[in-house]
């Protein structure tokens, strides 16, 4: 793992290594890896995403070939089109067909293994291949988009030019930003600047 800078990320330019898992759904977290710039830049980064997303339990021996990057970016593009289409009431038939196709493969098979301390931990029956991992994300998109209650909680971030879509599961459905630390903070800074400029005028 590369050295991770300490301290809070700069609000307008999160560090390149940053992977986010705060959209509320696996498939939306994948879409978020394209913003604000490409996060899936290397097999190591994709492996970090797969582990961070919970698709692969920590400590799993997983070989990620370079070819997986293109496959995950392709699925990401289609899920992004489907979710964006849902919010804009614009069907995306080609994307739908592709996501459905990728969802047909069997996802990774989980199993519980007992540690030396006697507790059960989640593991995978076998090292998963690319189709199985893609299928897990594609199935999450299928589940999300076909559940009216969940679909109704889809929101696009109100931040300036922020394309991130998340599930608003907050009480009263009043979440406005993909992240209060990123877009929420940026908005607070902008509001403060406006007030300060007004006071000076
Ligand atoms: Zn945002």
């Amino acid at each position: 793992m590369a050295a991770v800078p300490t301290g809070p990320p700069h609000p307008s330019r999160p560090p390149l290594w940053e992977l986010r898992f705060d959209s509320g759904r696996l498939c939306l977290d994948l879409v978020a890896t394209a913003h604000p710039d490409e996060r899936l830049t290397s097999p190591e980064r994709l492996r970090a995403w797969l582990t961070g997303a919970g698709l692969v339990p920590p400590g799993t021996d997983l070989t990620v070939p370079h070819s997986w990057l293109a496959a995950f970016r392709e699925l990401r593009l289609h899920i992004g089109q489907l979710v964006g289409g849902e919010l804009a009431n614009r069907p995306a038939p080609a994307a739908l067909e592709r996501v459905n196709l990728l969802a047909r493969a069997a996802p990774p098979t989980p199993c519980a293994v007992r540690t030396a301390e006697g507790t059960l931990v989640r593991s995978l029956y076998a090292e998963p291949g690319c189709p199985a991992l893609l299928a897990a994300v594609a199935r999450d998109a299928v589940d999300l988009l076909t559940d009216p209650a969940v679909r109704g909680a889809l929101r696009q971030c109100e931040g300036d030019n922020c394309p991130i879509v998340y599930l608003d599961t907050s009480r009263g459905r009043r979440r406005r930003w993909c992240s209060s630390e990123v877009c929420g903070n940026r908005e607070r800074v902008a509001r403060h600047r406006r007030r300060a400029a007004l006071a000076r005028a």
Side-chain angles (χ1 to χ4, degrees):
M1 182 62 111
V4 172
T6 50
H10 190 280
S12 60
R13 222 168 66 88
L16 264 179
W17 50 265
E18 190 182 284
L19 293 169
R20 293 173 54 174
F21 301 98
D22 52 7
S23 71
R25 281 299 278 247
L26 173 63
C27 63
L28 299 178
D29 282 340
L30 177 65
V31 176
T33 60
H35 175 77
D37 34 37
E38 181 59 73
R39 299 305 202 205
L40 302 180
T41 49
S42 67
E44 293 69 36
R45 194 65 63 78
L46 177 55
R47 188 171 43 220
W49 186 82
L50 292 166
T51 309
L55 279 172
V56 177
T60 305
D61 220 1
L62 182 72
T63 314
V64 177
H66 208 271
S67 60
W68 288 21
L69 285 172
F72 271 86
R73 287 184 198 149
E74 194 233 341
L75 174 61
R76 180 180 70 189
L77 177 77
H78 294 312
I79 293 175
Q81 284 173 356
L82 271 185
V83 168
E86 202 55 41
L87 285 167
N89 214 357
R90 184 185 59 225
L96 183 62
E97 195 178 322
R98 193 71 190 131
V99 170
N100 280 337
L101 185 73
L102 291 170
R104 278 166 58 180
T109 311
C111 63
V113 293
R114 207 169 284 285
T115 63
E117 291 77 38
T119 49
L120 288 172
V121 294
R122 186 183 167 87
S123 184
L124 294 179
Y125 184 68
E127 185 178 327
C130 195
L133 292 166
L134 290 171
V137 185
R139 285 174 182 224
D140 184 58
V142 167
D143 288 346
L144 182 156
L145 293 166
T146 54
D147 182 330
V150 180
R151 200 171 52 205
L154 278 174
R155 300 279 183 277
Q156 184 174 339
C157 177
E158 289 182 25
D160 260 350
N161 298 316
C162 180
I164 288 187
V165 174
Y166 58 86
L167 279 192
D168 184 3
T169 52
S170 66
R171 198 188 297 203
R173 296 282 168 89
R174 277 190 292 216
R175 178 174 164 187
R176 294 178 53 199
W177 298 297
C178 63
S179 152
S180 59
E181 283 88 48
V182 183
C183 287
N185 191 40
R186 202 178 298 160
E187 163 102 359
R188 278 187 292 274
V189 170
R191 214 185 299 144
H192 177 78
R193 281 208 191 110
R194 280 197 299 273
R195 265 202 303 266
L198 270 176
R200 275 198 305 274

